[in-house]
């Protein structure tokens, strides 16, 4: 809501005594140029630039926007910058505490401000995904008629959590997780800026690396941990934040893991080999190390999808769908909840029966092709749908399997040079046992005998 006397007084005290505010609040950017990351949203002429009045003149006014991104990527910060930089009336609501009554009050106030004073209103609505359909419907007339310019923030996929009419009337801006370089710059500024720690402590490289890992791309989490560790260091009379101090403060041990070096590949390799070896506990240990170190969950999900085909295959046909579903879920939800999905898939794959027959089959087939063993496609299998194909003998003599009682025709499918090759050697592990029976039966009815 609009600030009352008590809120205004609190803000005034905050400005006079910034040290009383959390570091994350003190270090909030004051202009769009101070914003860390999200440069794809801050180019000249972008919707956010227009919201603060940069190039927003003329008949085409600024559009309402929906900011979608993980926690700590700057959604509230961007709204805060707009509130400070714009000469428009700025009102803030949270979908956690507000309802239709509050929304209508803001809209009525916006119409009065526009009609009486020519003052435009920007409404920042945090956590919009918590609004019901009816509550979101109440925003439509104001957005459509531009009684308010809406800035809505959500951590959930707006295609699922925001009604279509509101989406169609707004621009969807996607915020990306902050990179280590983004956070590193933010930490450096917080350490030296007078609004922050004012150079009272320094941050060694190993402590910074651990801080970046536990932040997980979340600026608020990074600054909160930095403030706590800096306070602990100063209490000890130390001017440097030692790694042990940060570990004690955040109660998280530093995981020895380099996302760009040997640990990245070694731990990933150990995860897959533990799954292949059906050691579910070891697999979960390596997964936990990767999660705790802030490994990209999409990388882990990709490795699990590969493992599902490479090491399990037809021994459990559900393994690949589980891994694919996990990858899709991870892409939608991100950390920390993605850890649950990755655990689900890792356990399922580790305990599944194993077979590498799909791996060896395509490997053997590729080996023959690379050796030049190919040859022309048998004439009866060639395309016969175009004019003149019959004169060339194409598709002549082809037996349509569905016309036969057993659904399989005794005819040659492979080129002559490969007609006796057998690439697929099934195991009798798990569900693949039925494929072993099936391949034996089909080869027999195709007129082939095991070599």
């Amino acid at each position: 809501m609009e600030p009352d006397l008590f809120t205004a007084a609190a803000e005034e005290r905050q400005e006079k005594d910034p040290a009383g505010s959390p570091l994350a609040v003190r270090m909030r950017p004051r202009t769009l140029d101070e914003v860390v990351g999200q440069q794809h949203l801050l180019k000249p002429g972008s919707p956010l630039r227009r919201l603060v009045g940069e190039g927003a003149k003329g008949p085409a006014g600024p559009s309402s926007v929906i900011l979608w991104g993980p926690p700590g990527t700057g959604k509230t910060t961007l709204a805060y910058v707009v509130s400070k930089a714009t000469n428009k009336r700025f009102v803030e609501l949270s979908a956690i505490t507000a309802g239709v009554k509050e929304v209508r009050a803001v809209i009525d106030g916006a119409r009065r401000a526009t009609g009486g004073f020519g003052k435009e209103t920007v409404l920042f609505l945090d956590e919009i995904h918590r609004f019901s359909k009816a509550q979101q419907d109440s925003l439509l007339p104001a957005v459509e008629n531009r009684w308010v310019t809406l800035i809505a923030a959500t951590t959930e996929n707006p295609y699922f959590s925001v009604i279509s009419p509101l989406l169609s009337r707004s621009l969807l801006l996607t915020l990306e997780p902050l990179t280590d370089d983004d956070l590193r710059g933010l930490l450096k500024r917080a350490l030296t800026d007078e609004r922050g720690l004012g150079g009272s402590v320094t941050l060694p490289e190993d402590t910074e690396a651990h801080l970046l890992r536990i932040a997980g791309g979340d600026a608020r989490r990074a600054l909160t941990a930095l403030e706590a560790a800096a306070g602990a260091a100063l209490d000890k009379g130390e001017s440097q934040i030692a790694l042990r101090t940060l570990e004690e403060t955040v109660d998280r041990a530093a995981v020895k893991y380099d996302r760009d070096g040997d640990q990245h590949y070694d731990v990933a390799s150990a995860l897959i080999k533990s799954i292949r070896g059906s050691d579910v506990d070891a697999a979960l240990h390596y997964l936990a190390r990767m999660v705790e170190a802030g490994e990209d969950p999409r990388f882990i999900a990709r490795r699990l999808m590969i493992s599902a085909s490479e090491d399990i295959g037809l021994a459990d046909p559900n393994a690949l769908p589980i891994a694919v579903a996990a990858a899709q879920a991870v892409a939608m939800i991100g950390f920390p909840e993605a850890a649950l999905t990755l655990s689900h898939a890792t356990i399922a794959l580790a305990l599944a029966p194993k077979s590498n027959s799909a791996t060896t089959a395509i490997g053997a087939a590729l080996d023959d092709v690379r050796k030049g063993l190919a040859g022309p496609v048998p004439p009866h299998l060639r395309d016969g749908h175009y004019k003149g194909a019959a004169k060339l003998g194409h598709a002549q003599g082809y037996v349509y399997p569905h016309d036969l009682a057993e659904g399989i025709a005794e005819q040659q499918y492979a080129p002559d040079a490969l007609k006796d090759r057998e690439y697929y050697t099934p195991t009798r592990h798990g569900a693949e046992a039925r494929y072993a029976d099936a391949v034996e039966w089909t080869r027999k009815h195709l007129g082939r005998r095991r070599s």
Side-chain angles (χ1 to χ4, degrees):
M1 296 294 290
E2 294 181 83
D4 54 24
L5 290 174
F6 298 103
T7 304
E11 290 180 351
E12 185 178 350
R13 283 197 305 272
Q14 201 173 82
E15 289 181 5
K16 290 181 178 179
D17 182 24
S21 303
L23 181 61
V25 173
R26 303 201 305 269
M27 291 309 301
R28 271 184 180 163
R30 293 161 294 191
T31 67
L32 288 178
D33 292 330
E34 289 186 1
V35 172
V36 172
Q38 315 309 338
Q39 296 307 305
H40 62 294
L41 302 180
L42 301 175
K43 297 175 182 177
S46 67
L48 292 174
R49 293 281 183 188
R50 291 173 58 77
L51 273 172
V52 299
E54 299 180 20
K57 299 176 182 179
S63 302
S64 291
V65 297
I66 296 175
L67 302 174
W68 172 33
T73 51
K75 299 182 294 298
T76 304
T77 292
L78 289 172
Y80 175 83
V81 170
V82 170
S83 75
K84 294 297 182 184
T86 184
N87 58 3
K88 302 178 178 66
R89 177 172 170 267
F90 189 90
V91 184
E92 180 178 354
L93 290 178
S94 171
I96 297 175
T97 56
V100 172
K101 179 182 176 182
E102 288 78 12
V103 170
R104 286 176 177 165
V106 172
I107 293 172
D108 290 341
R111 296 180 71 176
R112 288 195 299 271
T114 302
F117 308 101
K119 194 78 169 176
E120 298 178 30
T121 298
V122 175
L123 169 60
F124 173 56
L125 180 58
D126 201 10
E127 307 274 357
I128 190 175
H129 56 271
R130 295 181 182 270
F131 261 10
S132 66
K133 181 180 182 298
Q135 289 172 314
Q136 292 184 33
D137 279 335
S138 67
L139 293 163
L140 290 176
V143 173
E144 185 166 20
N145 293 293
R146 202 171 281 168
W147 298 332
V148 301
T149 300
L150 176 68
I151 303 177
T154 178
T155 56
E156 297 190 6
N157 190 328
Y159 290 106
F160 300 132
S161 59
V162 179
I163 60 174
S164 297
L166 192 55
L167 273 177
S168 67
R169 290 164 173 78
S170 310
L171 293 176
L172 177 59
L173 306 181
T174 304
L175 281 73
E176 302 292 341
L178 298 180
T179 66
D180 283 355
D181 285 340
D182 292 334
L183 290 179
R184 197 174 284 111
L186 179 63
L187 293 173
K188 182 178 180 181
R189 187 191 304 171
L191 286 164
T192 57
D193 197 296
E194 289 303 320
R195 289 183 297 156
L197 299 173
S200 58
V201 291
T202 58
L203 192 66
E205 191 173 313
D206 58 343
T207 310
E208 179 189 81
H210 184 38
L211 185 51
L212 292 174
R213 280 196 290 268
I214 62 178
D218 186 323
R220 191 182 302 108
R221 189 185 303 167
L223 291 173
T224 300
L226 174 64
E227 183 176 27
L234 292 172
D235 287 345
K236 295 178 181 179
E238 299 172 352
S239 61
Q240 187 179 78
I241 303 175
L243 177 59
R244 67 178 184 281
T245 302
L246 179 61
E247 290 177 313
E248 293 166 359
T249 305
V250 300
D251 194 29
R252 288 178 69 172
V255 180
K256 293 182 178 179
Y257 189 96
D258 180 359
R259 280 179 282 176
D260 298 316
D262 291 343
Q263 287 288 328
H264 168 83
Y265 297 104
D266 289 348
V267 176
S269 175
L271 169 66
I272 297 308
K273 288 174 180 173
S274 297
I275 290 173
R276 183 181 298 146
S278 300
D279 190 332
V280 64
D281 302 301
L284 286 169
H285 165 75
Y286 292 117
L287 172 64
R289 282 172 63 168
M290 297 173 85
V291 169
E292 184 69 7
E295 179 61 80
D296 185 344
R298 296 169 298 180
F299 168 77
I300 303 173
R302 287 194 296 269
R303 297 304 306 168
L304 294 179
M305 285 192 288
I306 295 168
S307 175
S309 291
E310 181 182 11
D311 297 315
I312 298 168
L314 295 172
D316 184 352
N318 288 321
L320 182 58
I322 288 173
V324 171
Q328 292 172 337
V330 161
M332 292 174 64
I333 61 179
F335 279 147
E337 291 84 355
L340 306 177
T341 303
L342 293 170
S343 173
H344 175 165
T346 297
I347 293 169
L349 268 55
L351 296 180
K354 304 298 189 293
S355 170
N356 71 341
S357 60
T359 304
T360 57
I362 188 61
L366 285 169
D367 188 52
D368 275 353
V369 169
R370 289 163 182 162
K371 290 177 179 177
L373 290 173
V377 174
H380 59 284
L381 298 185
R382 297 177 190 175
D383 181 20
H385 289 89
Y386 61 92
K387 188 176 181 180
K391 292 182 180 179
L392 297 174
H394 292 187
Q396 301 302 302
Y398 172 67
V399 181
Y400 190 55
H402 296 296
D403 290 339
L404 304 180
E406 292 184 320
I408 189 166
E410 184 175 340
Q411 61 187 342
Q412 181 180 326
Y413 289 93
D416 289 341
L418 298 165
K419 65 180 182 179
D420 295 322
R421 279 287 198 280
E422 294 181 1
Y423 296 117
Y424 177 46
T425 305
T427 70
R428 290 197 170 271
H429 301 161
E432 196 169 26
R434 66 185 178 89
Y435 289 96
D437 293 334
V439 76
E440 184 177 344
W441 185 87
T442 54
R443 282 171 178 163
K444 177 181 177 182
H445 284 73
L446 286 170
R448 293 162 57 190
R449 297 293 181 267
R450 293 186 68 84
S451 56

